[in-house]
Amino acid sequence: MNRRTLLQATLGLCALPVASFAQSPSPAARLRIVAEPYFTTWFDAFYARALAAGAQPDLLDRELAGLAADPRVAALDSMQPEFARPVSDYIRGVTNEGRIAIGRARRGTVTAFGAIEQTYGVPRDILMGIWAMESGFGAQQGDMDILRSLATLAAAGRRRVWAEGELIAALRILGAGEISRSRLKGSWAGAMGQTQMLPSTYLDAAVDGDGDGKRDIWTSAPDALASAAHLLAKAGWRRGEDWAREVILPADFDFGLSEGPQLAPSAWKAKGVTRADRRVWSEADGAAACTLLLPCGAGGPAFLALPNHFVIRRYNNSLAYALGVGLLADRFGGGGPLVTPWPHETALSLSDRMAAQTALARQGFSPGQPDGVIGLGTRQALRAWQKAHGLPADGYLSPAMIQRLKGQTLTPS
Ligand code: CA
């Protein structure tokens, strides 16, 4: 007879109340976490996982006591806008003339840029582009409690493994004494400071850019910008190479080559693809493998993207984001607007986007699970479908293309 059974026998009680009476309180109860059961259940399991991951109990107890879910984070996480913002709209918004003027004025004020460029090989204008896109040059960093935001996301469950990993990384930052809890602020999605780095990215890539011995991406612009440069360098930034150039396509061009082969500029030129600014490629750029991008299909500007374009996507894996950073960089450095203007696109509804994906799948051109997100898989499937139907295969989902796809579904061939 073990001690608990003996105790139960002695007291003449049934197993359940004695067991809960005899056990020490759960971490959630001990740390006075008053929340819905889903949150306390998650918390107790997380506490054990954090200990197993090497977190110190006193650190967990100090930083997590009284933790509560943040309803604002839960609401933002579950929000799925009905209409996706078209790329052209997005680019016009992020590369507005006011922001370009601020960037041009600010780029000369960061004296650390010389050392940052020398150490990491990333041009200041690319870093200025990231700084502008991530926080409006440090002005909008987000003031949400990072631990609380990540705990809310982890407890909600949709991205639990990811959010718990970031939560443990945030606890490690606090445990190392790099910043106080009251200053560990950022976006609802866990991105922190002037260059909006996740806690794990901070641990991995943040550096001291101003020489004071601390990594402070919140209040030190040189620290934030050097950290972004370090991240891009680690992701494979190619020193001395461009990110992309606008190009002009010949009249009879095969649009199916977009997001396809990676060819040197000379090979693209043999297909009639020429630089919009009519300049010659530098030696380094001329040897690079370039991908053709048509963000708005055949009816908008075209770009040859160099490998560095895809390195920018390591910061945020979005074609539109990386274009925004690069185009801002060009304008900060004194460049003019594009030769081919951005068209005015129609916003597509979620139901239309999903209907298009379902129609493609039904006709044997699988874009992956229909989720309403028009990513590379959907564009590739659409290109194949367009090719099979004798249409220009630009992979661009326009309202007219959606109607065609839907019509094909209703009338099986
Ligand atoms: Ca510093």
Side-chain angles (χ1 to χ4, degrees):
M1 190 177 279
N2 66 32
R3 279 189 60 194
R4 186 175 296 166
T5 323
L6 178 66
L7 181 69
Q8 285 159 6
T10 312
L11 295 175
L13 295 170
C14 65
L16 204 61
V18 173
S20 57
F21 167 74
Q23 279 170 354
S24 56
S26 74
R30 190 165 53 75
L31 298 175
R32 303 178 312 282
I33 289 170
V34 181
E36 291 181 56
Y38 86 91
F39 191 85
T40 50
T41 303
W42 164 78
F43 183 86
D44 288 337
F46 168 73
Y47 192 96
R49 285 193 284 270
L51 286 178
Q56 294 299 316
D58 57 339
L59 173 73
L60 295 178
D61 289 3
R62 186 180 75 227
E63 301 298 348
L64 301 177
L67 190 69
D70 187 335
R72 294 173 299 171
V73 172
L76 286 162
D77 187 44
S78 60
M79 199 169 72
Q80 194 171 20
E82 173 58 14
F83 287 94
R85 191 174 183 192
V87 174
S88 54
D89 245 32
Y90 171 86
I91 297 286
R92 266 193 293 271
V94 299
T95 62
N96 67 75
E97 294 297 327
R99 177 176 273 180
I100 289 163
I102 295 171
R104 284 178 174 172
R106 292 286 292 275
R107 72 194 287 275
T109 67
V110 183
T111 51
F113 270 146
I116 292 172
E117 286 178 336
Q118 199 167 13
T119 305
Y120 302 108
V122 182
R124 66 190 63 193
D125 289 320
I126 291 291
L127 300 171
M128 291 288 301
I130 288 174
W131 198 22
M133 296 278 283
E134 295 295 343
S135 70
F137 310 102
Q140 297 115 30
Q141 302 181 28
D143 63 352
M144 312 280 269
D145 179 305
I146 288 292
L147 289 196
R148 194 174 173 204
S149 295
L150 290 169
T152 306
L153 294 172
R158 189 166 62 85
R159 293 182 288 166
R160 175 161 297 165
V161 172
W162 170 84
E164 286 193 3
E166 294 301 335
L167 182 51
I168 288 171
L171 286 161
R172 282 180 58 199
I173 296 169
L174 292 170
E178 295 208 54
I179 190 160
S180 66
R181 171 73 183 280
S182 62
R183 289 184 57 215
L184 194 72
K185 298 283 174 65
S187 79
W188 68 270
M192 317 183 298
Q194 303 200 20
T195 39
Q196 296 285 282
M197 293 180 141
L198 290 167
S200 63
T201 313
Y202 173 94
L203 287 173
D204 190 42
V207 290
D208 173 24
D210 60 12
D212 71 349
K214 294 177 193 150
R215 311 189 283 181
D216 183 349
I217 60 171
W218 295 268
T219 58
S220 166
D223 283 12
L225 294 164
S227 299
H230 185 212
L231 191 162
L232 293 178
K234 283 170 78 92
W237 185 269
R238 291 157 67 125
R239 189 185 284 260
E241 285 185 19
D242 212 334
W243 69 279
R245 279 299 117 218
E246 187 190 0
V247 291
I248 304 294
L249 307 177
D252 57 346
F253 189 71
D254 173 8
F255 294 105
L257 293 171
S258 61
E259 290 188 287
Q262 299 182 343
L263 305 172
S266 56
W268 285 111
K269 195 171 183 186
K271 298 179 186 300
V273 178
T274 56
R275 275 177 71 140
D277 62 8
R278 298 169 181 269
R279 293 192 190 174
V280 292
W281 297 90
S282 71
E283 198 177 327
D285 294 346
C290 300
T291 307
L292 181 72
L293 300 178
L294 300 172
C296 301
F303 302 89
L304 279 188
L306 285 91
N308 282 338
H309 165 84
F310 298 95
V311 175
I312 300 172
R313 289 206 207 178
R314 293 286 296 278
Y315 216 98
N316 182 337
N317 190 20
S318 147
L319 165 64
Y321 173 86
L323 274 175
V325 168
L327 293 171
L328 274 175
D330 288 353
R331 300 298 309 277
F332 292 155
L338 296 176
V339 171
T340 304
W342 292 99
H344 286 274
E345 301 174 277
T346 309
L348 305 175
S349 72
L350 177 63
S351 52
D352 268 353
R353 281 176 276 139
M354 289 186 65
Q357 290 175 322
T358 306
L360 283 168
R362 278 193 201 146
Q363 294 173 65
F365 299 88
S366 176
Q369 193 65 32
D371 56 3
V373 179
I374 306 304
L376 182 60
T378 304
R379 295 195 294 271
Q380 303 283 38
L382 180 56
R383 268 190 276 273
W385 182 88
Q386 287 170 323
K387 204 162 252 178
H389 289 78
L391 299 166
D394 62 1
Y396 181 66
L397 192 64
S398 63
M401 201 58 61
I402 289 175
Q403 288 314 312
R404 265 189 124 120
L405 280 164
K406 282 178 167 175
Q408 292 279 336
T409 312
L410 295 173
T411 357
S413 52

